[in-house]
Amino acid sequence: MVDPAQNSVNPDKYHRILEAAIGVFAEQGFFNATVSKIARAAGVADGTIYLYFKNKNDILLHFFNYKTKEVFGTFRHEVDKGGNAREKLRNLIKAHLREFQKDRNMAVVFQAEARQIRYFEVYIKDLTNMYFDLVGEIVVQGQEESVFRRGLDPSLVKRFILGTVDEVINTWLHAARKYDLEAQADAIVDLFVNGIGATPPK
Amino acid sequence: MVDPAQNSVNPDKYHRILEAAIGVFAEQGFFNATVSKIARAAGVADGTIYLYFKNKNDILLHFFNYKTKEVFGTFRHEVDKGGNAREKLRNLIKAHLREFQKDRNMAVVFQAEARQIRYFEVYIKDLTNMYFDLVGEIVVQGQEESVFRRGLDPSLVKRFILGTVDEVINTWLHAARKYDLEAQADAIVDLFVNGIGATPPK
Amino acid sequence: MVDPAQNSVNPDKYHRILEAAIGVFAEQGFFNATVSKIARAAGVADGTIYLYFKNKNDILLHFFNYKTKEVFGTFRHEVDKGGNAREKLRNLIKAHLREFQKDRNMAVVFQAEARQIRYFEVYIKDLTNMYFDLVGEIVVQGQEESVFRRGLDPSLVKRFILGTVDEVINTWLHAARKYDLEAQADAIVDLFVNGIGATPPK
Amino acid sequence: MVDPAQNSVNPDKYHRILEAAIGVFAEQGFFNATVSKIARAAGVADGTIYLYFKNKNDILLHFFNYKTKEVFGTFRHEVDKGGNAREKLRNLIKAHLREFQKDRNMAVVFQAEARQIRYFEVYIKDLTNMYFDLVGEIVVQGQEESVFRRGLDPSLVKRFILGTVDEVINTWLHAARKYDLEAQADAIVDLFVNGIGATPPK
DNA sequence: CATGAATGAGCGTTCATTCAT
DNA sequence: CATGAATGAACGCTCATTCAT
């Protein structure tokens, strides 16, 4: 097997297979996807898959390792572009929704398989922690800026935020009618910041 | 196959197999679980499984249809016990966390498989809608009671709430150290109601 | 297992099962027939079958041993009723067609399974030989009476006759439109006796 | 699965499996034959069978579709070589006996399974009709040539001829002592043409 | 005698993986 | 590097048979 990280030979084929695989995984689920189907979708022979990936598991692993990590990298970038905490939070949510909307296959696979397959647990945890770290920083900054209240359980806030976005994406994925996902960012952030409680007469 | 609804024969064995199956599904995932493993776990012969269930899929289907529906029934009951909207919301969250904590296998299977298997999508949607309806009612009541603010997107609020609880349970399931899940209810409700924003100097 | 030959106990049930089995065999073929289906058709429990028959094979064996042997007994009787050889031949063919027409299930099973299952070969051979003996006698008598020509290969004549009747029944069984089988007897005998050759100007 | 019609891959293996399967079917019958036994007989792995055939049924189907159709093709050819009707009839019978004698496995499978398996009924009917057409043509020609008498029921004559040959082959297959099958052709044709009746003093 | 729930051996089929070309 | 035919372990499922009631 070639190391695709420093793979000078045919990086094309590596990506073609990876994309094809994600497509098949998205459509059929990891377990119902066969290596043959992936090969056909990628336009290569079955055996060729094994020149670029150790085995079927390894394909999904690469997906988590490279593809989604890349996406999570843009989250970091987007967050950094924000000035204050609220802006950073909004940028994160917006980026999250945008990127998942942009690559539906990725979204499906990530949402569907991430919780399913024990084998990949550790990679998922990595990604989740990356996300949690981002949120953590934002919260701390927000508290320093006094836009977020003190005394919050940071770990709970992280789950509060990731859980909501996750569910919003999930609903979008299963919806019959397609609507713009990114457009929901502001309403979501508003909920995060203000909750559902009636504001007392201030 | 016998009708398990009527439990005409050996309801014991029916439940033993169902519990055993959920255990195996929880540990290995649906696709890695084999009928043989389930039979062994239940202490019956492979063929016996097929006296109570149509096939492997059918076992999971029964799980969604009976076991989790029952749990969701207690949610309704708990909500009804609450007087005002905030209490109802708290009761729902508490019940949700408690029931999933009480039956860890159920929790694992529900969280892991619910998003995964196309075949069962319709059952999951049923359960989700049941949940959404509950939340919807609570929100409306809260708005009438003026504890929840107007102008909320009800569908977004539902996802906001389910998503958070979902993620909280998920984190608990994957945590190394076991902690009390139900105890988080109040903090969660507080987040829902007040958000993370700093209260303006009142 | 009870010996059904001298079975004082519930000969009814024995015959009910046998008839039911032949019906199921006729409809589905021996190998696709299950003991359960037979039991259901007979209105008894699966286990009851084994009180009257050693196993699934044994049911078919009883069929060959008793049911069809009985039919072949009437062939003998019909032949004996005929005066000259030609009459005897005609009676045999008529009886053959009539009996198979009368019990379609028997006909189907006999025609379909007789050539198929090695296990029963010996019983089939018995029946065939019984038939061959009948034909043999008729041919000899016919030659003595000078209605049948000398120099015939008796064994070939037997196959000539059984084969034709067999095929006529077979065609009837598979025909879409139902017609009277017995009515073909005279035309068949005419073919046997005169062949298809044009009679030379006598 | 590869298209065996085009024999794009390893036509050798395709034929090896087909021959092996027919051998196993001949020895054990279709239902008692297992894919494993066929694979072992063909010297390939179980899975390899499925590269050449859709499933176990498909093997028998190919047998009927290609192997026996080919044989029936030679029947046509042999018939066409005959000048007058009697010669044609004789050629048909001779070819039929010869071909089935040449490939005993084919003969066994054809005789045994043809009447048995509902699934293949349509293919058998095809073959039978092909045969019937041949005989029909011969009979008509014979009547025109005035070697066969008028007023025959053509459909009955067909069954008369096929049935006899069928039975002759059948007897041969089950005989303990092997004798030459083709040698019986003339005696059979003589029976067809002249019947068993004594010729009146002409 | 009768039942039918339980058994488990056995089968057809799939598919990840290998390797000769 | 690329191929795809070949492999065979493994699985879901069926069903003849048994036996406790």
Side-chain angles (χ1 to χ4, degrees), chain D residues 2 4 6-17 48 52:
Chain D
V2 237
Q6 304 226 34
N7 280 345
S8 45
V9 256
N10 225 335
D12 243 40
K13 208 163 274 185
Y14 167 77
H15 286 113
R16 230 169 67 216
I17 294 171
T48 305
Y52 295 86

Side-chain angles (χ1 to χ4, degrees), chain C residues 35 43 49 56 72 75 100 130 137 159 182 186 189:
Chain C
V35 174
I49 305 272
K56 192 181 153 189
F72 278 62
F75 292 178
F100 275 58
M130 221 183 286
E137 289 172 31
R159 287 172 278 160
E182 193 180 353
D186 286 318
V189 172

Side-chain angles (χ1 to χ4, degrees), chain A residues 23-65:
Chain A
V24 177
F25 291 159
E27 202 186 324
Q28 329 222 353
F30 179 76
F31 287 101
N32 289 318
T34 70
V35 174
S36 268
K37 285 180 203 159
I38 295 170
R40 205 174 318 127
V44 300
D46 291 22
T48 305
I49 304 272
Y50 291 86
L51 298 174
Y52 294 87
F53 301 91
K54 246 197 351 264
N55 50 40
K56 192 181 154 190
N57 275 353
D58 194 44
I59 305 178
L60 195 50
L61 193 148
H62 276 240
F63 166 73
F64 286 132
N65 248 339

Side-chain angles (χ1 to χ4, degrees), chain C residues 4-5 11-26 53 57-76 95-96 98-111 120 123-124 126-127 130:
Chain C
D12 236 43
K13 208 164 270 185
Y14 167 77
H15 284 113
R16 232 168 65 215
I17 294 172
L18 194 53
E19 291 299 332
I22 300 314
V24 177
F25 291 160
F53 300 92
N57 274 353
D58 193 45
I59 305 178
L60 196 49
L61 192 149
H62 276 240
F63 166 74
F64 287 132
N65 248 339
Y66 299 105
K67 193 134 188 14
T68 60
K69 260 188 185 159
E70 178 193 299
V71 167
F72 278 62
T74 78
F75 292 178
R76 154 67 61 196
H96 193 161
R98 188 193 328 120
E99 294 299 320
F100 275 58
Q101 177 163 238
K102 212 161 68 186
D103 189 346
R104 202 174 188 280
N105 282 341
M106 176 191 76
V108 171
V109 174
F110 190 78
Q111 299 290 99
F120 300 106
Y123 297 93
I124 303 306
D126 250 34
L127 290 172
M130 221 183 286

